[in-house]
Every structure is written in C-alpha cells, then in structure tokens.
Amino acid sequence: MTTQTDIPPAETGGERRSWLREHSELGVCVLLLALGVLVLTDTLTMDVDIAQRGPVGPKTVPVVVGAGLLVIAALLAVDVLRGGRGQAETGEDVDLSEPADGRTVLLLAGVFLGAAVLIEPLGFPIAGALLFWGAAFALGSRRLDRDPLIAAGLSLVTYTVFNNLLGVPLPGGPLMGVL
C-alpha cells in the first residue's frame, strides 16, 4: 500500500518548460533525425537500375549522408541528455537579450516567396532583380538610386553564369530573346 509521501509530486508546467529550455538542442537532434530519415527513404525508394554501372552507384553518397545524419543526431542527443551544451557564439556582436526582428524576417520571407511566384511569368532576370532589391530593402538599405541598379546587374550576371556558362537553364521570361 502506498502513502501520500511515496507518490512523487506532479511536474508543474514551469518545471517541464525549464527542462525543455535547458535541453533545447534536442530540437536540432529531431531535425537531423527527420532529415536523415527523409534522405534514406528517398534514396532507398529511388529506381536506378539503368544508371548502375558497378558497385558504387547513385545511391551510395545519399545513403552515406543519410546514415551520417542519423548517427550525428543520436550522438548529439546522448551528449545533450548527459548535460552537454553548445557554446555561445562569441564571434558576433549580438545582444541575445533583444527580441528577434520579426518584421525583417517576414519581409525577407515575403520577398523570397514573391520571387518564387514571379520567376516563371517574368523570368529569372526580373524576378532575381526584385529578389535582390527586396532583400537589400528588408535588411535596411534605403539607397533607391543605387540598389535597383546593383540588383539588376547582379541578377543579369547570375542568369548569364548559370544559363550560359554552367548550362543550367533558367527561365528568361520576356527577356528571353534579348539575353
């Protein structure tokens, strides 16, 4: 028969939150585990009979990477549960007591998604210029005389390098005949 003193006190929400905060690196472990499972699942379900020309085929590197991700996730989880903690970043001038700048993150996400939507109808040179200019604006640059020109130049150089030099076709959009 158990008495009231034998029953451990129930964990409060604050204690649970404190434990999770102290072991927040476990989130990285979960991410690495999920990524490793995804890589291995995609690799092992891939049909490569035609491309196989020997013992080392197209599945070899992804299997090694996926297995490595799983091993690293397990080793990191063991280290965190044994009390290991990541070192704080010392190389940057960041005040960790300040909250994150949600406006900048949302602006960057919006610019990125906008460029992804516009790349097909407008082509990479125009969508890329909008992406580079929008990212500069979101990160604080307000030079409206210079930023659009730099963004356009950077986008055209990127398009030319990928399309012409590397052979990676990017959509040209309305500028397809000009470039």
Side-chain angles (χ1 to χ4, degrees), residues 34-48 58-59 62-63:
L35 191 58
V37 168
L38 177 69
V39 168
L40 286 175
T41 303
D42 282 351
T43 302
L44 296 176
T45 59
M46 183 168 63
D47 185 26
V48 293
K59 287 185 176 184
V63 165

Side-chain angles (χ1 to χ4, degrees), residues 60-146:
T60 305
V61 171
V63 165
V64 169
V65 169
L69 285 167
L70 295 179
V71 169
I72 289 172
L75 291 174
L76 181 60
V78 168
D79 181 53
V80 169
L81 292 173
R82 286 185 177 173
R85 304 239 343 136
Q87 292 183 347
E89 183 67 37
T90 60
E92 294 186 27
D93 186 22
V94 176
D95 186 5
L96 295 177
S97 64
E98 289 292 318
D101 186 8
R103 179 182 178 270
T104 301
V105 172
L106 288 175
L107 279 172
L108 283 171
V111 166
F112 181 76
L113 291 174
V117 168
L118 294 174
I119 195 167
E120 196 60 42
L122 297 181
F124 183 84
I126 296 172
L130 292 172
L131 171 69
F132 296 137
W133 185 27
F137 183 84
L139 293 172
S141 179
R142 299 295 185 259
R143 295 287 308 263
L144 298 179
D145 58 333
R146 173 188 70 182

Side-chain angles (χ1 to χ4, degrees), residues 24-56:
S24 61
E25 290 94 346
L26 290 175
V28 175
C29 300
V30 171
L31 180 67
L32 290 172
L33 178 73
L35 191 58
V37 168
L38 177 69
V39 168
L40 286 175
T41 303
D42 282 351
T43 302
L44 296 176
T45 59
M46 183 168 63
D47 185 26
V48 293
D49 293 337
I50 297 172
Q52 186 76 27
R53 292 196 175 157
V56 178

